[in-house]
Amino acid sequence: MIAVRHLFASLYVGLLRFIPTEARSFRQILLRLSGVKCSGMIETQGSQFIQCPEMLVIGNGSIISGECLFESRGGIVIGENVLIGPRVIVLTSNHRVGEEQVHEYKSVRIGNSVWIGAGTTIVPGVEIGAGAVIGAGSVVTKNVPAGVRVAGVPAKPIGKGSPQNGLVASGGHTSGGAV
């Protein structure tokens, strides 16, 4: 069974860039066959690279843009109605300093109605609260409370307010603005 999942994961990564975004149902079937746990309908755009797809959970109404990397050995949970911009990297493993080939695994949790801007990197062990907004190009090294906007390297709070304040229409689709 594991070999079959690896085959579908490889097919998902290899073929996805050729399957139009409009073919949502087919894309989601491939995603599920690769081992990703999807609740409800999600939208994937372009191609994504997923390591350990069986450790990735994606909530209903979430949208994942192209060229994202999910290194999910430690587990990644993405809530409902989350918008993930292109080239986002989510990491769950790291090497211990001074020790060869010793890995640490820490899960990443992303709450409901979160916006993650293009080119963001999220490091192992981070939790992002519901309604948070992550500015493009940020490196998230610490937990982000619900409803807080962060940006920078490393990401620091820049304000409060969330997509729930009218910036996200029902179903998780954006109604304007950029992160």
Side-chain angles (χ1 to χ4, degrees), residues 22-61:
E22 293 76 24
R24 287 182 184 96
S25 296
F26 184 64
R27 286 170 153 269
Q28 189 157 343
I29 288 168
L30 283 177
L31 197 60
R32 287 180 184 205
L33 287 173
S34 74
V36 175
K37 296 165 193 76
C38 306
S39 65
M41 277 305 286
I42 64 163
E43 180 178 325
T44 58
Q45 302 169 347
S47 61
Q48 293 81 36
F49 184 73
I50 303 168
Q51 293 177 335
C52 295
E54 64 278 3
M55 298 293 287
L56 176 60
V57 177
I58 305 172
N60 183 45

Coordinates of all heavy atoms in Angstrom, one line a residue, residues 22-61:
E22 N -8.9 24.3 -13.3 CA -10.3 24.1 -13.4 C -10.8 22.7 -13.1 O -11.9 22.4 -12.8 CB -10.9 24.6 -14.7 CG -10.7 26.1 -15.0 CD -9.3 26.5 -15.3 OE1 -8.5 25.7 -15.8 OE2 -9.0 27.7 -15.0
A23 N -9.8 21.7 -13.3 CA -10.1 20.3 -13.0 C -10.0 20.0 -11.6 O -9.2 19.1 -11.2 CB -9.2 19.5 -13.9
R24 N -10.7 20.8 -10.7 CA -10.5 20.6 -9.3 C -10.8 19.2 -8.7 O -10.0 18.7 -7.9 CB -11.5 21.6 -8.6 CG -11.1 23.0 -8.6 CD -12.1 23.9 -7.9 NE -11.7 25.3 -8.1 CZ -12.2 26.1 -9.0 NH1 -13.2 25.6 -9.8 NH2 -11.8 27.3 -9.1
S25 N -11.8 18.6 -9.2 CA -12.2 17.3 -8.7 C -11.1 16.3 -9.0 O -10.7 15.5 -8.1 CB -13.5 16.8 -9.3 OG -14.5 17.6 -8.9
F26 N -10.6 16.3 -10.2 CA -9.5 15.3 -10.6 C -8.2 15.6 -9.8 O -7.6 14.7 -9.3 CB -9.2 15.4 -12.1 CG -8.2 14.4 -12.6 CD1 -8.5 13.1 -12.5 CD2 -7.0 14.9 -13.1 CE1 -7.5 12.1 -12.9 CE2 -6.0 13.9 -13.5 CZ -6.3 12.6 -13.4
R27 N -7.9 16.9 -9.6 CA -6.7 17.2 -8.8 C -6.9 16.7 -7.4 O -5.9 16.2 -6.8 CB -6.5 18.8 -8.8 CG -6.0 19.3 -10.1 CD -6.1 20.9 -10.1 NE -5.1 21.4 -10.9 CZ -3.8 21.7 -10.5 NH1 -3.5 21.6 -9.3 NH2 -3.0 22.2 -11.4
Q28 N -8.1 16.9 -6.8 CA -8.3 16.5 -5.5 C -8.2 14.9 -5.3 O -7.7 14.4 -4.4 CB -9.6 17.0 -5.0 CG -9.8 16.7 -3.5 CD -10.8 17.7 -2.8 OE1 -11.1 18.7 -3.4 NE2 -11.2 17.3 -1.7
I29 N -8.7 14.2 -6.4 CA -8.6 12.8 -6.3 C -7.2 12.3 -6.3 O -6.8 11.5 -5.5 CB -9.4 12.2 -7.6 CG1 -10.9 12.3 -7.4 CG2 -9.0 10.7 -7.8 CD1 -11.7 12.0 -8.6
L30 N -6.3 12.9 -7.2 CA -4.9 12.6 -7.1 C -4.3 12.9 -5.8 O -3.5 12.2 -5.3 CB -4.2 13.4 -8.2 CG -4.3 12.9 -9.7 CD1 -3.6 13.8 -10.6 CD2 -3.8 11.4 -9.8
L31 N -4.7 14.1 -5.2 CA -4.1 14.5 -3.9 C -4.5 13.4 -2.9 O -3.6 13.0 -2.1 CB -4.7 15.8 -3.5 CG -4.0 16.6 -2.4 CD1 -2.5 16.9 -2.8 CD2 -4.7 17.9 -2.2
R32 N -5.7 13.0 -2.8 CA -6.2 12.0 -1.9 C -5.5 10.6 -2.1 O -5.1 10.0 -1.1 CB -7.7 11.8 -1.9 CG -8.4 13.0 -1.3 CD -9.9 12.9 -1.3 NE -10.4 14.1 -0.8 CZ -11.6 14.2 -0.2 NH1 -12.3 13.2 -0.1 NH2 -12.0 15.4 0.3
L33 N -5.4 10.2 -3.4 CA -4.7 9.0 -3.7 C -3.2 9.0 -3.2 O -2.7 7.9 -2.9 CB -4.8 8.6 -5.1 CG -6.2 8.2 -5.6 CD1 -6.2 8.1 -7.1 CD2 -6.6 6.9 -5.0
S34 N -2.6 10.2 -3.2 CA -1.2 10.3 -2.7 C -1.1 10.1 -1.2 O 0.0 10.0 -0.7 CB -0.6 11.6 -3.2 OG -1.1 12.7 -2.5
G35 N -2.3 10.2 -0.5 CA -2.2 10.0 0.9 C -2.6 11.3 1.7 O -2.8 11.2 2.9
V36 N -2.8 12.4 1.1 CA -3.2 13.6 1.8 C -4.6 13.5 2.3 O -5.5 13.0 1.5 CB -3.0 14.9 0.9 CG1 -3.6 16.1 1.5 CG2 -1.6 15.1 0.4
K37 N -4.9 13.9 3.5 CA -6.2 13.9 4.0 C -6.9 15.3 3.8 O -6.4 16.3 4.3 CB -6.2 13.6 5.5 CG -5.6 12.2 5.8 CD -5.2 12.1 7.3 CE -4.4 10.9 7.6 NZ -3.0 11.0 7.2
C38 N -7.9 15.3 2.9 CA -8.7 16.5 2.6 C -10.1 16.4 3.1 O -10.7 15.4 2.9 CB -8.7 16.6 1.1 SG -7.2 16.6 0.2
S39 N -10.5 17.5 3.8 CA -11.9 17.5 4.3 C -12.6 18.5 3.4 O -12.3 19.6 3.3 CB -12.0 17.9 5.7 OG -11.6 19.2 5.9
G40 N -13.6 18.0 2.7 CA -14.4 18.8 1.7 C -13.6 19.1 0.5 O -12.6 18.5 0.1
M41 N -14.0 20.2 -0.2 CA -13.3 20.6 -1.4 C -12.2 21.6 -1.1 O -12.3 22.5 -0.3 CB -14.3 21.3 -2.3 CG -15.2 20.4 -3.2 SD -14.2 19.2 -4.1 CE -13.6 20.2 -5.4
I42 N -11.1 21.4 -1.8 CA -10.0 22.3 -1.7 C -9.6 22.6 -3.1 O -10.0 21.9 -4.1 CB -8.8 21.7 -0.9 CG1 -8.2 20.5 -1.7 CG2 -9.1 21.4 0.5 CD1 -6.8 20.1 -1.2
E43 N -8.8 23.7 -3.3 CA -8.3 24.0 -4.6 C -6.8 24.1 -4.6 O -6.2 24.7 -3.7 CB -8.9 25.4 -5.0 CG -8.4 25.8 -6.4 CD -9.0 27.2 -6.8 OE1 -10.2 27.5 -6.5 OE2 -8.3 27.9 -7.5
T44 N -6.2 23.4 -5.6 CA -4.7 23.5 -5.8 C -4.5 24.1 -7.1 O -5.2 23.8 -8.1 CB -4.1 22.1 -5.7 OG1 -4.6 21.3 -6.7 CG2 -4.2 21.5 -4.3
Q45 N -3.5 25.0 -7.2 CA -3.2 25.7 -8.4 C -1.7 25.4 -8.7 O -0.9 25.4 -7.8 CB -3.3 27.2 -8.2 CG -4.8 27.6 -7.8 CD -4.9 29.1 -7.4 OE1 -3.9 29.7 -7.2 NE2 -6.1 29.5 -7.3
G46 N -1.4 25.1 -10.0 CA -0.1 24.8 -10.4 C 0.3 23.5 -9.8 O -0.5 22.6 -9.6
S47 N 1.6 23.4 -9.4 CA 2.1 22.1 -8.8 C 2.6 22.4 -7.4 O 3.0 23.5 -7.1 CB 3.2 21.5 -9.7 OG 4.3 22.3 -9.8
Q48 N 2.6 21.4 -6.6 CA 3.1 21.4 -5.2 C 4.1 20.2 -5.1 O 3.9 19.2 -5.7 CB 2.0 21.3 -4.2 CG 1.1 22.5 -4.1 CD 0.0 22.5 -5.1 OE1 -0.5 21.4 -5.5 NE2 -0.3 23.6 -5.7
F49 N 5.0 20.3 -4.1 CA 5.8 19.2 -3.8 C 5.5 18.8 -2.3 O 5.6 19.7 -1.4 CB 7.3 19.5 -3.9 CG 8.2 18.4 -3.7 CD1 8.3 17.3 -4.6 CD2 8.9 18.3 -2.5 CE1 9.1 16.2 -4.3 CE2 9.7 17.2 -2.2 CZ 9.8 16.2 -3.1
I50 N 5.1 17.6 -2.1 CA 4.7 17.2 -0.8 C 5.5 16.0 -0.4 O 5.5 14.9 -1.0 CB 3.2 16.8 -0.8 CG1 2.4 18.0 -1.3 CG2 2.8 16.3 0.6 CD1 0.9 17.6 -1.5
Q51 N 6.3 16.1 0.7 CA 7.1 15.0 1.3 C 6.2 14.4 2.4 O 5.7 15.1 3.2 CB 8.4 15.4 1.8 CG 9.4 15.9 0.8 CD 10.7 16.4 1.4 OE1 10.7 16.8 2.5 NE2 11.7 16.3 0.6
C52 N 6.0 13.1 2.4 CA 5.2 12.4 3.4 C 3.7 12.9 3.3 O 3.2 13.4 4.3 CB 5.7 12.5 4.8 SG 7.3 11.7 5.0
P53 N 3.1 12.7 2.2 CA 1.7 13.2 2.0 C 0.7 12.7 3.0 O -0.3 13.4 3.4 CB 1.3 12.8 0.6 CG 2.3 11.8 0.2 CD 3.5 12.0 1.0
E54 N 1.0 11.5 3.6 CA 0.1 10.9 4.6 C 0.1 11.7 5.9 O -0.8 11.5 6.8 CB 0.4 9.4 4.8 CG 1.8 9.2 5.5 CD 2.9 9.2 4.5 OE1 2.7 9.4 3.3 OE2 4.1 8.9 4.9
M55 N 1.0 12.6 6.1 CA 1.1 13.4 7.3 C 0.6 14.9 7.0 O 0.8 15.8 7.9 CB 2.6 13.5 7.8 CG 3.1 12.1 8.1 SD 2.4 11.4 9.6 CE 3.0 12.5 10.9
L56 N -0.1 15.1 5.9 CA -0.7 16.4 5.6 C -2.2 16.3 5.6 O -2.8 15.5 5.0 CB -0.2 16.8 4.2 CG -0.7 18.1 3.6 CD1 -0.4 19.3 4.5 CD2 -0.2 18.4 2.2
V57 N -2.8 17.3 6.4 CA -4.3 17.4 6.4 C -4.6 18.8 6.0 O -4.0 19.8 6.4 CB -4.7 17.2 7.9 CG1 -6.3 17.4 8.0 CG2 -4.3 15.8 8.4
I58 N -5.6 18.9 5.0 CA -6.0 20.2 4.5 C -7.5 20.3 4.7 O -8.3 19.4 4.3 CB -5.7 20.3 3.0 CG1 -4.2 20.0 2.8 CG2 -6.1 21.7 2.4 CD1 -3.8 20.0 1.3
G59 N -7.9 21.4 5.3 CA -9.3 21.7 5.5 C -10.1 22.2 4.4 O -9.6 22.7 3.4
N60 N -11.5 22.1 4.5 CA -12.4 22.5 3.4 C -12.2 23.9 3.0 O -12.0 24.8 3.9 CB -13.8 22.2 4.0 CG -14.9 22.5 2.9 OD1 -14.8 22.2 1.8 ND2 -15.9 23.3 3.3
G61 N -12.4 24.2 1.7 CA -12.3 25.6 1.3 C -11.0 26.2 1.1 O -10.8 27.4 0.8

